[in-house]
Amino acid sequence: MQKALLITIWCLGMLFCAPSSFAQPGLSDEQAIRAVWEQYRLAWLKNDPATVMASFEEEARISPDGLVPIKGFANIQAYWFPQDGSETHIHAFDLEVISVKVEQNMAFTSQKTRLDWTYLKDGNAMAQAQSGWASAVLRRQSNGIWKIWRLQWTNYEVFPGAVPELLAPAINSPDPEFAATISPDGHWLFFNRTAPDRSRFYWLTSEKTSTGWGTARLFPHNDTTFMDIDPAFLPDGRTVIFSSNRPVKGNEKKDFDLWQSTLRNGQWGPPKPVSPVLNSKDDEIYSTLTHDGVLYFSRFVGNKAQIYRSIFRNGRYQPPEGVVIPGTEAVSIINPAISPDGRWLVFASSGLTGKGSGDLYATKQIGANRWSPPLNLSRINSTYADFAPSFSPDGKTLLFTSERPGIVKDAPKDKRRPGDLYQIPFSALLPDLKHE
């Protein structure tokens, strides 16, 4: 069977299977069966295969839309949860039980559902939202628990979804890339690339051409003796801020500070520290700015990173204030990307509940430096590290770094994977952002 068909089968199957069933004393049969469906829906959203499969009898059978029935617990499990390195992320799952009819120890149900998902395997991705109908027969077990015996479904609407897209080969390579930023006029792309063993860091620039991004070249002041990383443009496009551990006035630095270089007469000027108001004895990294010049950045204090912001007023940056995002107080949050209008803040964290070793989250500004609880951007996150986001100048595209299989499909399991640069329309992520 072709891979695309297998993928479709796998994902369509997830629409209409029943949830884990547990005896619920005090509930009527109909209430217990409806509770089973709700627990099933939540199990898929939580990516809990054990709970999903506990819904079925050993002799269960499912009949996917237009396909050969799948018989037996083990075969159903292999169908939905193949051990082939693939990932399926459920972004939304609406399930409405239309009818329940109980006849002694058998129950007949019909359901209406809508599922929104993304599938990842070997660096490839597909996404869909689909709606359908299902009918099921559940049987009461000897211990009173209801489990699924027969299930069949059909889908009447299928909508393709957006998936992350690799930036052009002129930008991505077999070596690690990260932290891309686009100039306000859309003409330049700045980003970092490292040596394969990450022993040296390069700051690269690419000019927009009629056919896309051009050949990447070193930034004039790139110095691999130090680490010049995470470039970000000021709104005027003539100054770029970056992080570096280069010495200050000849004095060696062990921490990272924020630096800047300004374009004059077509030449980028020598780097200099941004401001002693912003730089400290701790690490300041990864800056991002709004259209009106509010600067956001990460600061490490010990082993914990938090996000700060500084308003540019009267020709200078003001003392930074912390960005307090509900639920993040006890974990590190890093790599802020503020939308140009200041409404959305995307950041990375490995301390919140997520998909893998580092995920991207978004929060909405609901008042002056007041933020909504963060939401996992499950449409773009993977079980690999996902980090270093940035917005395009118009705020319509989100760029980010991921160490999922990309340019390099196979990598040694005992070594960190190289990262690649991806992009996706930010509007494709808005269904995740319930505060919109």
Side-chain angles (χ1 to χ4, degrees):
M1 188 178 297
Q2 296 180 352
K3 180 173 71 174
L5 182 58
L6 284 172
I7 294 172
T8 302
I9 293 170
W10 192 92
C11 297
L12 291 177
M14 292 193 300
L15 280 170
F16 301 109
C17 296
S20 295
S21 302
F22 297 93
Q24 300 185 35
L27 297 182
S28 67
D29 285 334
E30 179 172 343
Q31 288 174 322
I33 290 166
R34 288 182 179 273
V36 161
W37 283 106
E38 176 61 10
Q39 184 154 340
Y40 155 74
R41 186 184 72 85
L42 294 175
W44 276 113
L45 288 172
K46 294 176 181 178
N47 190 27
D48 184 355
T51 301
V52 172
M53 291 309 303
S55 308
F56 292 89
E57 296 185 8
E58 286 294 330
E59 301 302 321
R61 184 177 72 192
I62 63 174
S63 299
D65 186 7
L67 300 172
V68 175
I70 300 169
K71 302 177 182 179
F73 185 97
N75 290 329
I76 294 172
Q77 185 174 37
Y79 175 73
W80 276 321
F81 306 106
Q83 302 301 306
D84 60 358
S86 62
E87 304 175 35
T88 297
H89 301 299
I90 309 299
H91 314 304
F93 190 5
D94 301 323
L95 187 152
E96 180 184 2
V97 179
I98 303 300
S99 66
V100 178
K101 183 178 181 181
V102 179
E103 294 185 2
Q104 297 183 354
N105 291 323
M106 298 186 73
F108 304 86
T109 69
S110 62
Q111 298 79 236
K112 181 181 179 181
T113 67
R114 179 177 174 83
L115 181 70
D116 192 348
W117 53 267
T118 299
Y119 176 89
L120 305 172
K121 186 180 180 185
D122 299 332
N124 299 310
M126 64 178 296
Q128 282 188 180
Q130 49 203 67
S131 301
W133 295 94
S135 59
V137 180
L138 293 81
R139 297 200 298 193
R140 193 198 317 267
Q141 308 300 297
S142 60
N143 60 359
I145 293 176
W146 290 95
K147 290 199 174 187
I148 294 182
W149 179 47
R150 296 289 186 265
L151 175 66
Q152 63 180 18
W153 64 84
T154 185
N155 297 291
Y156 59 82
E157 288 183 315
V158 177
F159 305 95
V163 297
E165 174 188 1
L166 277 165
L167 267 63
I171 305 302
N172 285 312
S173 75
D175 295 335
E177 283 89 22
F178 66 97
T181 185
I182 299 176
S183 61
D185 62 5
H187 192 68
W188 291 95
L189 176 75
F190 287 8
F191 65 99
N192 285 119
R193 177 180 293 159
T194 79
D197 61 357
R198 292 180 167 87
S199 61
R200 296 182 306 281
F201 286 71
Y202 306 101
W203 177 354
L204 299 176
T205 71
S206 174
E207 187 175 9
K208 195 68 171 288
T209 71
S210 60
T211 58
W213 294 114
T215 302
R217 305 181 187 281
L218 286 173
F219 183 73
H221 299 288
N222 179 81
D223 187 341
T224 59
T225 306
F226 313 106
M227 294 172 62
D228 296 334
I229 57 175
D230 307 335
F233 283 94
L234 265 64
D236 65 5
R238 300 185 61 81
T239 298
V240 62
I241 294 181
F242 63 99
S243 308
S244 181
N245 61 350
R246 59 174 60 211
V248 177
K249 297 180 180 179
N251 298 317
E252 183 179 351
K253 291 278 288 183
K254 294 183 179 180
D255 65 297
F256 283 84
D257 285 336
L258 299 179
W259 291 67
Q260 63 184 11
S261 175
T262 299
L263 187 67
R264 292 188 175 90
N265 300 320
Q267 301 292 322
W268 288 100
K272 62 180 183 179
V274 174
S275 167
V277 170
L278 301 179
N279 292 325
S280 71
K281 62 181 177 58
D282 298 306
D283 289 315
E284 284 80 31
I285 62 170
Y286 210 92
S287 54
T288 177
L289 296 101
T290 63
H291 275 325
D292 55 2
V294 180
L295 174 71
Y296 291 73
F297 63 94
S298 294
R299 173 179 287 162
F300 273 90
V301 179
N303 293 322
K304 186 170 180 285
Q306 289 293 294
I307 296 172
Y308 291 80
R309 75 173 199 163
S310 173
I311 297 173
F312 193 77
R313 184 186 299 128
N314 299 326
R316 65 185 62 186
Y317 286 105
Q318 303 304 301
E321 58 181 336
V323 174
V324 180
I325 302 170
T328 68
E329 295 86 349
V331 301
S332 285
I333 55 176
I334 196 171
N335 294 167
I338 190 70
S339 61
D341 60 9
R343 294 180 65 205
W344 294 103
L345 180 66
V346 179
F347 62 92
S349 179
S350 59
L352 300 171
T353 301
K355 304 291 184 183
S357 57
D359 274 359
L360 294 172
Y361 298 81
T363 177
K364 185 179 181 181
Q365 189 162 202
I366 55 178
N369 199 22
R370 293 178 51 242
W371 303 88
S372 65
L375 291 167
N376 185 290
L377 296 180
S378 61
R379 294 169 196 274
I380 57 176
N381 289 324
S382 67
T383 56
Y384 300 90
D386 302 293
F387 58 101
S390 69
F391 281 89
S392 61
D394 59 8
K396 294 182 178 180
T397 301
L398 185 74
L399 293 85
F400 68 100
T401 304
S402 181
E403 294 179 2
R404 70 191 68 187
I407 297 297
V408 176
K409 301 296 184 184
D410 299 311
K413 296 185 182 300
D414 60 340
K415 293 184 178 180
R416 182 179 174 184
R417 292 190 55 85
D420 292 310
L421 299 173
Y422 289 81
Q423 62 183 3
I424 190 170
F426 189 64
S427 61
L429 307 179
L430 291 179
D432 289 339
L433 304 176
K434 310 300 183 184
H435 306 289
E436 170 63 15

